[in-house]
Amino acid sequence: MTDYQIISDSACDLPADMLEKLNVRTVPLTVLFRGENREDCVDDSAKVMYDGLRAGETATTAAVNPDRWMGVIEPVLAAGQDALVLAFSSGLSTTCHSAVMAANELQEKYPERKIYVVDTLSASLGEGLLVWYACKKRDEGLSLEALRDWVTEMRFHLCHWFTVDDLMYLKRGGRISATTAIVGTMLGIKPVLHMDDEGHLISMSKARGRKASIEALAAKMGELGKDYDNSTVFICHGDCIDDARYLEKIVREKYGAKNVVIGYTGAVIGSHSGPGTLALFFLGKNR
């Protein structure tokens, strides 16, 4: 048994049963939907939100604050364990900064304990895949410091490639201009985006039509991941399971993926990316 606990946040979009199996504790972000503050989720409640977004409803989100981080980290320290916190990309949220603030305060209270916070520069099941790999390394016996250093390096090889079905959600988030969104929608243009080394979402190319955009995600795995073991890859979707299964079929048949984990893009991230978001996460030579 290790002498440290891995802690993450709900933006990793891992389901509760997997988090329990991996022995990972998480802190929830929140989403304001239909006048109610709700904890981030990847279950049927997320589908309810996606249905609402399709009907024109809106949702707003809130990051994890330092107090909520402390509420999860402190019991670990009080029980005599150290903590490795793997946090949602600082390029998209203040959640990681809040984790650092909480860790600094708790370090003064528990000077004999070690608390490390790593900015994963990742999101959704990209963050989830990094957490999954970290748990594998923990179970192989890596020390706290060795695992911290491994995650810090490997985050730059955790590739996030995704597409969206409705450009208007990116427009609302300031990722593209209104003109680009309107013209792109009229022409059936689907953007292909990725997350860069600073944890920001970057538009890389355009595909004509949904099918082409999905195939472009798989092609990126073939290009960037060819020298890496991608027997396990993660796919997340914004309530578009058929598209996720089509992407799964390609990566299995063409690129040799054996263990393909498919899950929802969680309510918090999905409220920004919209229904129809589809993402592929894998290891590669660079992001």
Side-chain angles (χ1 to χ4, degrees):
M1 182 178 177
T2 57
D3 58 355
Y4 60 88
Q5 173 70 49
I6 294 176
I7 302 170
S8 190
D9 51 66
S10 66
C12 70
D13 284 349
L14 292 171
D17 58 344
M18 185 177 288
L19 289 168
E20 183 177 0
K21 184 177 180 180
L22 294 172
N23 187 24
V24 173
R25 302 187 189 187
T26 58
V27 185
L29 284 80
T30 56
V31 57
L32 176 63
F33 179 64
R34 294 178 176 171
E36 179 184 351
N37 273 311
R38 311 178 182 206
E39 290 191 350
D40 197 7
C41 62
V42 290
D43 56 17
D44 289 343
S45 297
K47 178 172 174 50
V48 170
M49 187 200 69
Y50 282 116
D51 288 340
L53 293 176
R54 289 189 180 99
E57 296 181 71
T58 59
T60 57
T61 62
V64 180
N65 62 38
D67 286 343
R68 294 208 77 173
W69 274 117
M70 285 193 285
V72 173
I73 299 172
E74 184 166 14
V76 171
L77 307 178
Q81 283 191 296
D82 298 326
L84 176 63
V85 178
L86 305 180
F88 182 23
S89 174
S90 63
L92 298 175
S93 173
T94 59
T95 293
C96 183
H97 178 65
S98 293
V100 172
M101 292 175 64
N104 289 341
E105 185 169 337
L106 287 170
Q107 192 69 77
E108 294 182 6
K109 187 174 181 180
Y110 297 90
E112 74 284 1
R113 299 265 60 89
K114 299 174 183 176
I115 317 166
Y116 298 122
V117 177
V118 177
D119 181 354
T120 66
L121 302 172
S122 300
S124 192
L125 282 179
E127 181 182 349
L129 184 54
L130 192 59
V131 169
W132 182 83
Y133 273 114
C135 291
K136 283 190 64 178
K137 291 296 181 181
R138 173 202 63 198
D139 295 345
E140 290 171 7
L142 257 66
S143 68
L144 174 60
E145 287 80 7
L147 184 55
R148 174 203 60 193
D149 295 345
W150 185 90
V151 172
T152 300
E153 169 59 27
M154 286 305 296
R155 60 185 175 166
F156 296 113
H157 298 279
L158 204 299
C159 301
H160 299 54
W161 285 86
F162 69 103
T163 187
V164 298
D165 194 41
D166 187 342
L167 288 165
M168 292 304 174
Y169 288 95
L170 291 179
K171 189 267 293 183
R172 291 168 199 155
R175 299 296 172 185
I176 58 176
S177 69
T179 300
T180 298
I182 293 168
V183 173
T185 298
M186 292 174 62
L187 296 176
I189 297 298
K190 305 298 180 183
V192 177
L193 308 97
H194 88 134
M195 185 171 282
D196 68 11
D197 284 351
E198 295 180 347
H200 299 120
L201 306 182
I202 305 295
S203 181
M204 298 298 290
S205 62
K206 299 178 179 66
R208 182 63 65 88
R210 180 68 164 178
K211 184 177 179 182
S213 69
I214 295 171
E215 292 169 351
L217 302 183
K220 280 298 177 182
M221 178 175 160
E223 173 192 344
L224 298 173
K226 60 185 178 181
D227 296 324
Y228 285 76
D229 178 6
N230 279 305
S231 53
T232 295
V233 299
F234 283 11
I235 294 171
C236 72
H237 66 94
D239 199 30
C240 52
I241 187 61
D242 290 341
D243 290 340
R245 286 173 178 154
Y246 177 57
L247 178 56
E248 175 190 14
K249 184 174 184 291
I250 299 173
V251 297
R252 283 188 185 276
E253 294 180 354
K254 195 166 184 179
Y255 300 112
K258 294 180 175 60
N259 179 31
V260 181
V261 175
I262 297 177
Y264 267 112
T265 306
V268 165
I269 294 174
S271 67
H272 294 285
S273 58
T277 300
L278 185 66
L280 176 64
F281 308 101
F282 58 91
L283 296 179
K285 61 182 178 181
N286 54 56
R287 288 191 155 195

